[in-house]
Amino acid sequence: MITEFLNKYFKKNNKLQNNEAYALPINIIKNFNKTRPLKARKHLCNAPFKNMFFSAEGDVYACCFNQKYSLGNINEKSLKEIWNSEKAIYFRNQIENKELINGCDECKYSLYNKQYKSTLISTYDKYPGHSEYPTYMEFQISNLCNLECSMCIGDFSSTIAIKREHRKPTESPYGKDFLSQLEEFIPHLKYTLFSGGEPFISPIYYDIWELIRKINPSCNIMVQTNGTILNEKVKNVLNGGIFNIGISIDSLNKETYKNIRVNASLDETLKNILFFKEYCHTNKNYISLSFCPMQQNWHEIPDIINFCNKNEINIFFSTVWFPGKNALWVLDSKKIIEIIKKLSDTKFIIHNHLHKENIRIYKNLINTFENWYKIALKWENYKPIEIDPIEIMKTENEIFQKINNYYAGINNKTSENNIETNIISKLKNAFNNIPNNDTKLKGLQLICSYKESKIIENIYREDEEGLLLLIKNLHRFRDL
């Protein structure tokens, strides 16, 4: 979800903008390679040589982070044609030339900021390669989900799509033909990742897991779940493969958890976590907890580290860029430095390598906050340039027109009139509360670069205060 925003619509500055490819400085590549395994250094990025990522719309990408450069769509080409397509070959050739292509923004900026160990490229360094087939596949092909998390959107939750965004269910492009084509690829797979949505309620995922069980039972399967679904069907499928489990949990406080993970029970989730932990530890499989640091829960970060260390579970922090009512990067420097100080003052007892790794990830998170603090300071000391209101209004009207165009394409538009009016009214109120200067214009231009659906999804999940805070600070998002 978040990477889609970064990859499709985020531009940093002229030095880093490009339409096709960008060659990184040699010194950055050398310093980055010092942090990587020797075998991984053959390519600047191993994703296009090893991986296929499947999106809900049927588009196939080299990784889950670059969802701008599509290798092809399963509605138009076979899996084999996509893997060997001209676009895939072009991508690999650019990587061979030590160049990142259009859409690799997040990794590009991480390398420039010397965040080598947390660069997303490293995700694909550990996987083996094959001369003719991918050895890793990532499936994000279903948005079926039972929760309505406050920071989520309908693309990743069918419940949100229907209840919050008033969207009608769409037909999935993934069916029997796709499953049939997978049979040729499954024997070569070493690892797979399933996310969504909630994977344990998605029928197509059970079909793929059954194929893996029959064709390649030694393939590692990673499931990113919200931890709320545990029944006999889940237990049976776990016994039929090598399942590694990632569980999303954003609070150990019942009230906070309920407000973030709408429709979920913390008691039930914690009970399920203990089951998944026992399953993974018994079978020597990987288990992790994913925590989204937000305004509502950042003070719990040390608690979640202690919980993970106590239960011998790996921690993973997922950055929340939107909505403004949740995100930390939109806060002022005074608040961010308060967070940094409180987290830095916390001490942990380390007993083993897993604890040490969790603390390393914790310190990386603090480093991220320190970078946000510097960016906040920069913009707080910046003197905005006044902009002609006509120019501001022109960009605002382009945004409103995008919203109008979106609803014009919906059947039974009359039923959507009030929704459309309310969304535009909400935006206008926020825009009117921001002075007409260059920082406002930069924020408006960023909003205008989003697809219509993305603009609307983000307005749906914001309260008025969060929307105003977000728009006021979008200009510094470019520096992140």
Side-chain angles (χ1 to χ4, degrees):
M1 174 175 58
I2 303 306
T3 52
E4 185 175 356
F5 289 122
L6 290 171
N7 291 328
K8 287 188 176 181
Y9 316 113
F10 173 49
K11 295 179 181 179
K12 187 173 182 183
N13 53 45
N14 289 334
K15 181 178 74 171
L16 297 181
Q17 287 179 25
N18 59 87
N19 293 324
E20 291 296 334
Y22 183 86
L24 290 168
I26 297 299
N27 66 309
I28 287 181
I29 297 174
K30 285 183 177 179
N31 290 332
F32 173 48
N33 277 336
K34 290 177 182 177
T35 68
R36 307 171 75 194
L38 284 173
K39 290 184 178 179
R41 300 177 190 178
K42 180 180 179 181
H43 303 301
L44 173 59
C45 175
N46 286 290
F49 300 89
K50 300 179 179 181
N51 184 53
M52 295 179 86
F53 172 89
F54 300 95
S55 74
E57 296 81 13
D59 285 308
V60 182
Y61 303 95
C63 74
C64 65
F65 307 113
N66 183 343
Q67 292 186 43
K68 185 172 185 178
Y69 187 85
S70 173
L71 306 179
N73 189 289
I74 65 164
N75 293 308
E76 301 166 357
K77 295 181 179 180
S78 69
L79 296 189
K80 198 69 176 289
E81 288 171 336
I82 293 172
W83 180 248
N84 295 308
S85 67
E86 289 185 7
K87 296 192 73 175
I89 293 170
Y90 171 79
F91 196 160
R92 293 172 194 139
N93 286 341
Q94 299 312 119
I95 294 296
E96 294 280 11
N97 292 331
K98 304 295 187 293
E99 295 181 347
L100 294 178
I101 71 165
N102 190 20
C104 295
D105 307 290
E106 192 167 355
C107 288
K108 185 190 304 178
Y109 305 141
S110 293
L111 292 174
Y112 265 91
N113 290 323
K114 300 180 181 179
Q115 296 175 330
Y116 300 131
K117 290 187 177 180
S118 57
T119 301
L120 301 174
I121 288 174
S122 302
T123 304
Y124 302 92
D125 281 353
K126 60 186 176 181
Y127 303 118
H130 189 285
S131 59
E132 298 180 27
Y133 292 91
T135 55
Y136 185 40
M137 282 186 172
E138 298 172 282
F139 300 89
Q140 197 177 85
I141 63 179
S142 171
N143 76 333
L144 285 176
C145 188
N146 56 324
L147 302 189
E148 302 171 61
C149 298
S150 63
M151 61 286 190
C152 196
I153 57 175
D155 285 353
F156 305 96
S157 168
S158 55
T159 308
I160 289 175
I162 294 168
K163 290 186 177 181
R164 186 197 298 170
E165 299 172 1
H166 312 286
R167 290 160 56 181
K168 297 178 181 178
T170 56
E171 186 175 345
S172 171
Y174 297 92
K176 291 182 179 180
D177 182 58
F178 175 73
L179 294 172
S180 177
Q181 291 183 54
L182 272 182
E183 293 184 16
E184 178 183 352
F185 287 75
I186 288 176
H188 310 285
L189 293 177
K190 302 296 182 182
Y191 297 89
T192 53
L193 170 64
F194 296 82
S195 59
E198 169 47 48
F200 285 131
I201 63 174
S202 176
I204 185 71
Y205 286 166
Y206 283 90
D207 292 336
I208 297 173
W209 295 333
E210 178 60 17
L211 283 177
I212 292 173
R213 185 191 69 80
K214 288 181 177 179
I215 300 172
N216 185 4
S218 65
C219 176
N220 275 271
I221 300 168
M222 181 72 189
V223 178
Q224 186 61 44
T225 172
N226 60 36
T228 65
I229 306 297
L230 182 59
N231 50 38
E232 290 305 312
K233 185 177 183 180
V234 172
K235 292 177 181 178
N236 288 336
V237 78
L238 291 179
N239 291 328
I242 303 173
F243 280 82
N244 305 281
I245 307 294
I247 304 165
S248 301
I249 181 171
D250 301 311
S251 179
L252 296 173
N253 176 280
K254 286 186 180 181
E255 192 65 24
T256 305
Y257 181 83
K258 182 178 72 173
N259 290 333
I260 295 173
R261 300 251 159 204
V262 179
N263 303 333
S265 161
L266 179 61
D267 288 338
E268 284 297 314
T269 301
L270 289 175
K271 186 171 70 173
N272 294 346
I273 287 174
L274 294 179
F275 174 89
F276 287 123
K277 180 193 78 169
E278 185 64 26
Y279 164 83
C280 289
H281 287 174
T282 299
N283 294 283
K284 298 182 179 180
N285 296 346
Y286 178 85
I287 181 170
S288 67
L289 290 190
S290 176
F291 186 93
C292 294
M294 294 179 283
Q295 295 177 38
Q296 296 83 351
N297 66 2
W298 67 264
H299 57 281
E300 290 190 55
I301 296 173
D303 295 333
I304 203 71
I305 291 289
N306 284 324
F307 178 86
C308 286
N309 286 353
K310 177 183 176 181
N311 289 281
E312 299 296 323
I313 297 174
N314 292 273
I315 186 65
F316 176 78
F317 292 111
S318 182
T319 302
V320 173
W321 297 108
F322 309 105
K325 65 180 181 181
N326 294 83
L328 292 171
W329 67 268
V330 300
L331 299 176
D332 60 42
S333 60
K334 184 178 178 181
K335 184 61 179 179
I336 296 175
I337 199 65
E338 175 192 333
I339 294 171
I340 293 169
K341 187 177 186 309
K342 288 189 177 182
L343 294 182
S344 299
D345 288 344
T346 304
K347 306 300 179 185
F348 301 96
I349 298 174
I350 301 174
H351 290 300
N352 56 41
H353 177 73
L354 184 146
H355 298 173
K356 185 177 180 180
E357 181 63 14
N358 282 348
I359 304 308
R360 183 189 70 80
I361 293 172
Y362 177 83
K363 289 180 178 178
N364 280 347
L365 179 67
I366 295 175
N367 289 339
T368 297
F369 293 160
E370 288 172 345
N371 186 44
W372 293 357
Y373 168 72
K374 293 175 184 176
I375 292 170
L377 272 182
K378 167 190 170 182
W379 285 106
E380 286 165 9
N381 292 318
Y382 176 76
K383 295 181 180 180
I385 301 168
E386 189 174 340
I387 297 292
D388 185 345
I390 299 298
E391 188 173 355
I392 295 284
M393 189 181 299
K394 179 182 177 182
T395 309
E396 288 179 353
N397 287 335
E398 287 181 31
I399 295 170
F400 299 146
Q401 187 59 51
K402 281 198 164 194
I403 295 172
N404 289 329
N405 291 342
Y406 175 81
Y407 284 107
I410 296 178
N411 294 330
N412 301 319
K413 182 180 182 298
T414 52
S415 66
E416 305 291 346
N417 277 340
N418 288 337
I419 298 172
E420 179 183 353
T421 301
N422 289 338
I423 285 177
I424 292 178
S425 176
K426 195 174 180 180
L427 265 185
K428 283 183 176 179
N429 288 338
F431 293 161
N432 290 338
N433 279 289
I434 305 173
N436 291 329
N437 55 45
D438 60 327
T439 58
K440 178 179 181 179
L441 181 60
K442 290 173 183 175
L444 293 175
Q445 288 170 339
L446 187 62
I447 294 171
C448 201
S449 69
Y450 295 173
K451 289 195 306 185
E452 293 91 336
S453 60
K454 297 304 174 188
I455 296 173
I456 293 166
E457 286 170 347
N458 277 284
I459 298 171
Y460 271 126
R461 62 177 169 178
E462 290 281 12
D463 56 25
E464 290 190 8
E465 184 179 350
L467 184 62
L468 181 60
L469 183 65
L470 177 65
I471 295 171
K472 276 185 175 179
N473 289 284
L474 270 177
H475 59 276
R476 59 168 149 148
F477 184 68
R478 298 170 186 272
D479 283 350
L480 298 176

